[in-house]
């Protein structure tokens, strides 16, 4: 992965003329960038290689979903049987977090959507051709190779968007389950200040205790921001590091050496998708539970 094919170089070089260096040759540069690289534009909107891969992952999910949906049978066979086994296994895991099959069924569509989208993106990043088929653009005295596709989750923008959506959804479910006023007071504890005048005579210590409760709510806000950062950087860091590792192994020897690392990245991609899904369902469970006294 991320190795420039000589055929690609020859074909792309005929389309884009690179600026010659002092020796009359332009240097071809390709490295794993932290940012997704634009491969096309729709008006002023840049279409990046990570966006293309993410879109392709969505297409795969939609096609498989429709294929299963319109071939549902009472006695499952083939792909339907596999998916039912996977979903039943996940529901068992979700039950250990939510403590209720009813709540697991409520959260499962959202959590499984995250899981399959991340898993497909993770695995697409190690497919042959992803990162090694692209175009060559001139930049000064260098020719820069830009792949048409790269793992969507190897782009921090994608993982940050996924983390933000997951955390926001957990708050929406919390508001629906507990009510807007009660849920707001978990973070901005207005109720704690309103209780002080009515209880200060019987319990003078409330003057100190309730402001502390309000301060704890503000810490909860910081914690929610930390969730977004933790989710996004964990997923991005592991996937991006895997791409760099495979590229480094392939640079040493293209045949043989990268194979064990490819299997390792398949496992890492599965684990990271599972961790992300489990954290999302944990946030959903916590935010929809009423706080005890």
């Amino acid at each position: 992965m991320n190795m420039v094919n000589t055929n690609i170089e020859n074909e792309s070089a005929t389309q884009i003329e690179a600026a010659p260096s002092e020796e009359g040759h332009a240097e071809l540069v390709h490295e794993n960038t932290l940012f997704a690289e634009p491969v096309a534009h729709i008006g002023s909107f840049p279409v990046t290689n990570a966006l293309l891969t993410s879109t392709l992952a969505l297409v795969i999910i939609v096609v498989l979903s429709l294929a299963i949906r319109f071939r549902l049978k009472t006695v499952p066979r083939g792909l339907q049987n596999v998916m039912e086994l996977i979903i039943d296994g996940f529901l068992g895991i979700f039950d250990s977090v939510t403590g209720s099959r009813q709540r697991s069924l409520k959260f499962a569509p959202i959590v499984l959507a995250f899981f399959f989208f991340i898993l497909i993106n993770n695995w697409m990043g190690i497919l042959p051709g992803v990162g090694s088929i692209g175009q060559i653009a001139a930049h000064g005295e260098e020719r820069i190779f830009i792949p048409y596709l790269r793992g969507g989750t190897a782009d921090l923008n994608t993982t940050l968007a996924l983390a933000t959506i997951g955390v926001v959804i957990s708050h929406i479910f919390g508001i629906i389950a507990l009510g807007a006023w009660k849920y707001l007071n978990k973070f901005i504890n207005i109720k704690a200040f309103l209780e002080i005048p009515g209880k200060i005579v019987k319990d003078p210590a409330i003057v100190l205790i309730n402001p502390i409760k309000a301060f704890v709510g503000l810490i909860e806000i910081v914690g929610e921001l930390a969730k977004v950062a933790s989710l996004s950087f964990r997923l991005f860091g592991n996937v991006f590091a895997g791409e760099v590792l495979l590229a480094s192994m392939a640079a040493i020897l293209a045949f043989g050496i990268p194979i064990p690392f490819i299997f390792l990245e398949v496992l890492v991609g599965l684990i990271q998708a599972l961790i992300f899904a489990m954290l999302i369902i944990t946030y959903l469970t916590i935010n929809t539970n009423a706080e005890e006294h």
Side-chain angles (χ1 to χ4, degrees), residues 1 126 246 257-267:
M1 189 177 66
I126 59 177
L246 290 178
I257 290 182
I259 293 177
F261 295 96
I262 291 174
F263 284 109
L264 178 63
E265 286 307 308
V266 170
L267 181 61

Side-chain angles (χ1 to χ4, degrees), residues 54 117-118 121-122 151-156 158-159 162 235-236 239-240:
S54 299
F117 178 78
I118 293 171
N121 266 292
N122 290 348
T153 46
D155 177 21
L156 183 57
T158 304
T159 60
L162 289 170
L235 180 57
F236 163 73
V239 176
F240 181 77

Side-chain angles (χ1 to χ4, degrees), residues 60-205:
I60 292 172
I61 292 173
V62 171
V63 170
L64 289 177
S65 301
L66 293 176
I68 296 172
R69 171 65 180 84
F70 291 111
R71 294 183 180 181
L72 287 177
K73 296 180 180 179
T74 305
V75 180
R77 298 178 59 185
L79 185 59
Q80 179 186 346
N81 193 29
V82 173
M83 291 304 300
E84 287 192 9
L85 287 173
I86 293 173
I87 292 173
D88 188 59
F90 268 108
L91 288 175
I93 297 173
F94 293 166
D95 288 346
S96 65
V97 178
T98 62
S100 166
R101 176 52 62 95
Q102 182 180 0
R103 299 180 75 186
S104 296
L105 291 171
K106 182 188 297 184
F107 300 150
I110 295 172
V111 178
L112 288 176
F114 278 109
F115 173 78
F116 286 115
F117 178 78
I118 293 171
L119 180 65
I120 293 174
N121 266 292
N122 290 348
W123 283 355
M124 285 183 68
I126 59 177
L127 287 177
V130 176
S132 62
I133 298 177
Q135 63 188 11
I136 298 176
H139 182 71
E141 295 184 355
E142 295 180 340
R143 290 184 301 166
I144 301 176
F145 176 74
I146 301 175
Y148 289 129
L149 297 173
R150 72 177 284 177
T153 46
D155 177 21
L156 183 57
N157 292 313
T158 304
T159 60
L160 183 60
L162 289 170
T164 303
I165 292 170
V167 172
V168 169
I169 286 176
S170 71
H171 290 302
I172 292 174
F173 270 80
I175 293 172
I176 294 173
L178 305 179
W181 171 252
K182 188 173 182 179
Y183 193 78
L184 176 65
N185 278 276
K186 289 177 64 175
F187 303 100
I188 304 174
N189 203 336
I190 303 172
K191 184 179 178 181
F193 290 105
L194 296 178
E195 289 177 345
I196 293 176
K199 297 182 178 180
I200 191 171
V201 176
K202 294 182 179 179
D203 186 12

